[in-house]
Structures are given as C-alpha cells and as structure tokens.
Amino acid sequence: MDLSLPTRPSRLTATTTTRPRLGPTWFAAVMGTGIVADAATFLPWTFPGQRTAATVVWAGAGVLLVVLAACYIRQKPLRSHAADPAMAQFLGAPPMALLTVGAGALLLGKDLIGLDAAVAVDWVLWLTGTALGLATACTVPHLMVTRHRFAPDAASGGWLMPVVPPMVSAATGALLVPHAQAGQLRLSLLLGCYAMLGLGLVATLLILTMIYGRLVHHEVPTGAAVPTVWIGLGALGQSVTALGALASAAPSALPVPYARGAEVFALVGGIMLWGFAMLWLALAAGLTIRTVRAGLPFAPTWWSFIFPVGAGVTATGTLASRTGSAPLGWVTAVLYAALVLAWLVVAGRSLRHATRHLRRSARRIVV
C-alpha cells in the first residue's frame, strides 16, 4: 500500500484517481507475521503458551493475507506494477505470503482446524503460491532484460524478491511430501522441490554478486533502500531450511542410498550456506546501524527486516536439531528473540502509518 503521497491531490483527483494504492510490498507484512509464527516451531526449547501464541499469530497472518489479497485483486494493478522497474521486484511477495501461511497451517493450524483441513489448506496455498512464484521468477527477470532499464548502481536486495519464491516453495513443499500419494506423485513432488531449490539458490548467488559489486563500487544505499539488503539473509536462510526439510522428507520417496545422501547434503551444504548467511547478516546489520544513526525513515521496506531474520531462525534451528549442537541452539533462540522484537516494532509503525493514511483519506473524501 503506497501510503505516502508526495503531494496533496486536488479535490478531483482525490475522488477519481485510478492509481493503485496497495503495492505488493505490503504482502511482506504477511510473510513477516507468518514467519514469526512458523519459526516458533524451530526453537530448541519450549515454554508454556508458546505454541498457542504462535498459532494466534499464524491466524492473524491468515486474516491479513485474505484482506490484502482481496484489496489487491480488486485494484487490478498487475500491469502497472509489472511495468514499474522497482515495484515489479516485489511481485514475489504475494506468492511467499501464500506459502508462509500455508506452511503454518501444517505446523500450527492443525491444532486448531484438524490435520485433514490443515493439509487441504496447505495444498491450496502451496499450489497457488508455487504457480505464482514460478511465474514471477521467470517473468520479472525477462522484463528486467527486455523492457526495464537500470543504472549501473541499481542492484539492490529487492532484485532477490522475484527469484526467492521457488526456494520457499521447496522448503514448504517438503512438508507436503509425506501427505502426497506414495509412488510417482510423491517422488515428483520431492524432485520438483529440489529443482526449485536449485533455481532459486543459483539465481540468488548471481544476484548477491551483483549487489556486493554495487556496494563496493558505488554509493552505499541510504534511507528506505537499506532494509532490502537483509533480503540476502532471507534467501540464504531459506536454502538451508529447504535442504533440511527435503532431507527429512527424502526417505519416504527416495531409495536408501539417495536418502542418506540427502541427509549428508543437508548438513554439509547447509552449514556452509549458513556460514555465508551469517556473513551477510553482519554486513546488513552494519549498514543498518550506520543508517539508523543518520536517520531511517519508515517505509514498507521495513518488513524486509522481518522475514529474513525469521529465515535465519529456521535455518539455524534446522541445523541445531540435525546436529544436536548447543551453540546453534542458543543462536536460534537469540535470533528468534531479535525477530519478535523487530516484528513488534515494525508492526507497530505499520499500524500507525496505515491509521494516519486512513484518516487523511477520510478527510479528503469529506472535503
């Protein structure tokens, strides 16, 4: 929701404008809220009320998804957003919002609505999110090459948004593997998830190279662009989470040698990618601290802080549970505490921002 208008519109434009006000960037709020709930299931320790609180947050993410989706579809803004080089990048947010809420249905929602209903909900959201995510991962890079034009210093974390959804599909699709029909359907689902992981991971590494080159050779990003640097952490964290989830699902679909290989790959490859993710975390944190000191204005991009940290929690928690490493368990807990704190801050600022906009819009209608 592009809630910040540069100038006060005239009385005519205030009532007749057709410019979309809800942008795909706001679906990151669903992603962030959903990952706060989902990540709670990856913690090495539990406390009273933890699962109940996480389920409530998941339900809130589901309601927010329905509201935003209804408003966004009603606007029919897809053509104008796809033509905008900056806005097109965030078309990857709606698919990931669907996938995050769908995964929460299996991880948490089954306690509320039952396993059968949770599986059905997840299938619908996963299939829809995966189809949209693959379309975004193919279409947006094509538009970037053929229609959009960028300056040499244009590379940003936002460029990762269109290519990350297939990795989220891989991580969340692994939860559905045991619920797929045994045989070719289950095998195809597992292999398809591995293929989507490869699609997203290789594309992510290519884009991270461009982002790092921009950071080194050009001016450091400032203002609302800084939070998007964190998206790199989210992409890397999702790859580690996907490797672990797929390795857990592999024995039900692959022969023994390959299932064991998936376990090895999940640990060795996962810990290596996790190390790179921690490097990116340190870089993003340093840039953020530097910007906060100079002044960091609120924008929808603040939600770029949330989902990446949540992906860091799920990645670290996956490795901790797989290895039994106490240090990784403590890192998981620390990251989750930071995630919840950041979510409270960003959600509060977003509510204040939305309330201010609604009041301003109401005054314009009255006038």
Side-chain angles (χ1 to χ4, degrees):
M1 164 158 56
D2 191 25
L3 299 179
S4 55
L5 300 177
T7 57
R8 178 181 176 88
S10 65
R11 186 177 306 176
L12 178 63
T13 59
T15 57
T16 63
T17 181
T18 59
R19 178 177 179 270
R21 291 189 176 185
L22 179 66
T25 50
W26 281 98
F27 282 89
V30 179
M31 294 166 54
T33 303
I35 200 71
V36 169
D38 295 353
T41 65
F42 287 79
L43 294 176
W45 307 286
T46 59
F47 52 85
Q50 172 184 325
R51 191 170 182 86
T52 300
T55 303
V56 171
V57 173
W58 166 77
V63 172
L64 182 59
L65 173 63
V66 172
V67 172
L68 290 179
C71 295
Y72 190 76
I73 293 172
R74 185 175 62 182
Q75 289 179 166
K76 300 180 180 179
L78 187 58
R79 185 181 297 273
S80 62
H81 285 165
D84 187 324
M87 194 65 73
Q89 309 303 322
F90 291 92
L91 290 174
M96 288 190 281
L98 291 167
L99 296 167
T100 305
V101 173
L106 269 185
L107 294 172
L108 298 162
K110 62 183 179 182
D111 299 339
L112 188 65
I113 61 177
L115 180 60
D116 291 341
V119 171
V121 168
D122 195 14
W123 271 118
V124 171
L125 294 180
W126 186 83
L127 289 171
T128 306
T130 297
L132 293 175
L134 288 173
T136 301
C138 295
T139 302
V140 174
H142 176 74
L143 291 174
M144 293 174 69
V145 171
T146 59
R147 296 190 181 183
H148 300 162
R149 292 294 176 264
F150 299 94
D153 62 345
S156 72
W159 286 16
L160 291 165
M161 290 294 289
V163 300
V164 172
M167 279 201 292
V168 181
S169 290
T172 56
L175 299 175
L176 288 168
V177 170
H179 300 283
Q181 183 179 355
Q184 287 298 313
L185 181 60
R186 185 176 296 179
L187 177 62
S188 298
L189 177 59
L190 180 70
L191 295 180
C193 287
Y194 269 112
M196 288 189 288
L197 172 59
L199 184 162
L201 178 57
V202 174
T204 291
L205 295 176
L206 290 173
I207 294 171
L208 286 177
T209 302
M210 290 188 282
I211 295 172
Y212 186 73
R214 177 261 169 95
L215 294 175
V216 171
H217 295 292
H218 300 281
E219 291 292 329
V220 176
T222 58
V226 171
T228 64
V229 178
W230 288 79
I231 299 176
L233 171 64
L236 295 168
Q238 277 297 303
S239 66
V240 177
T241 305
L243 284 173
L246 292 171
S248 297
S252 66
L254 292 176
V256 173
Y258 300 106
R260 290 177 179 173
E263 292 279 348
V264 174
F265 187 35
L267 177 57
V268 177
I271 199 68
M272 292 172 65
L273 286 169
W274 182 84
F276 183 27
M278 293 302 103
L279 170 63
W280 202 267
L281 169 62
L283 176 62
L287 290 174
T288 302
I289 293 172
R290 179 178 183 271
T291 305
V292 167
R293 289 174 176 172
L296 179 61
F298 176 80
T301 53
W302 273 35
W303 283 101
S304 299
F305 291 129
I306 309 303
F307 188 84
V309 176
V313 173
T314 61
T316 311
T318 295
L319 292 172
S321 63
R322 189 165 294 279
T323 61
S325 168
L328 286 175
W330 282 108
V331 173
T332 304
V334 169
L335 286 175
Y336 189 73
L339 169 65
V340 173
L341 179 60
W343 175 71
L344 290 172
V345 172
V346 176
R349 292 296 299 271
S350 298
L351 286 173
R352 186 190 311 172
H353 189 68
T355 302
R356 186 182 303 119
H357 168 76
L358 292 174
R359 288 174 178 172
R360 188 164 57 238
S361 297
R363 287 197 298 269
R364 288 172 181 162
I365 292 174
V366 172
V367 173

